[in-house]
Amino acid sequence: GLPPALAARGHRVMTISPRYDQYKDAWDTSVAVEIKVGDSIEIVRFFHCYKRGVDRVFVDHPMFLEKVWGKTASKIYGPKAGLDYLDNELRFSLLCQAALEAPRVLNLNSSNYFSGPYGEDVLFVANDWHTALIPCYLKSMYQSRGV
């Protein structure tokens, strides 16, 4: 409820989630970025839809889609309750880094009031454990470079 409430107050709002499904109303932005995760460089793409005044952005990478109930008969965070996937650290590092890039690289113009990239004047709300690296990356990888 917070994103639509902020949008109703006149703020430009974006939510970012892993693309766990095909989401029939989300379209491929054709924007891809390279992200260093562990010892490899991974490419993520961004999908987008606009609902209730909010830019809904989905980070697309095979590590997310392969962990869905309908495809693997398993859960998103682990194969069963109390057991995590071994790649959770990599997947959510990827999500956090993609979340930091999205406002800079996506040229969204779905609203009558806002268009273009969000830029660098952005407030991030990291609301769960899988987004906990956002403040760390923001400080170490962006602010340290003056971004």
Side-chain angles (χ1 to χ4, degrees), residues 24-38:
K24 63 182 177 186
D25 53 349
W27 53 274
D28 187 347
T29 65
S30 299
V31 175
V33 295
E34 292 182 349
I35 295 176
K36 185 172 182 354
V37 179

Side-chain angles (χ1 to χ4, degrees), residues 29-102:
T29 65
S30 299
V31 175
V33 295
E34 292 182 349
I35 295 176
K36 185 172 182 354
V37 179
D39 294 329
S40 66
I41 302 292
E42 300 292 333
I43 297 173
V44 299
R45 295 177 68 90
F46 296 100
F47 282 66
H48 172 257
C49 67
Y50 187 75
K51 286 184 177 178
R52 298 178 59 197
V54 177
D55 285 307
R56 309 283 181 166
V57 174
F58 302 95
V59 177
D60 182 56
H61 189 276
M63 281 196 284
F64 296 124
L65 276 177
E66 67 190 16
K67 299 285 195 286
V68 204
W69 271 100
K71 299 189 183 308
T72 62
S74 59
K75 296 182 179 180
I76 293 173
Y77 304 117
K80 61 182 181 176
L83 182 63
D84 291 337
Y85 289 120
L86 297 177
D87 67 349
N88 275 356
E89 293 86 0
L90 296 176
R91 289 190 307 135
F92 297 114
S93 172
L94 187 76
L95 173 66
C96 291
Q97 291 182 68
L100 289 166
E101 284 297 308

Side-chain angles (χ1 to χ4, degrees), residues 6-26:
L6 290 171
R9 294 184 61 102
H11 298 283
R12 189 171 188 198
V13 181
M14 175 190 296
T15 61
I16 301 176
S17 303
R19 186 169 177 250
Y20 285 125
D21 204 344
Q22 300 303 326
Y23 303 120
K24 63 182 177 186
D25 53 349

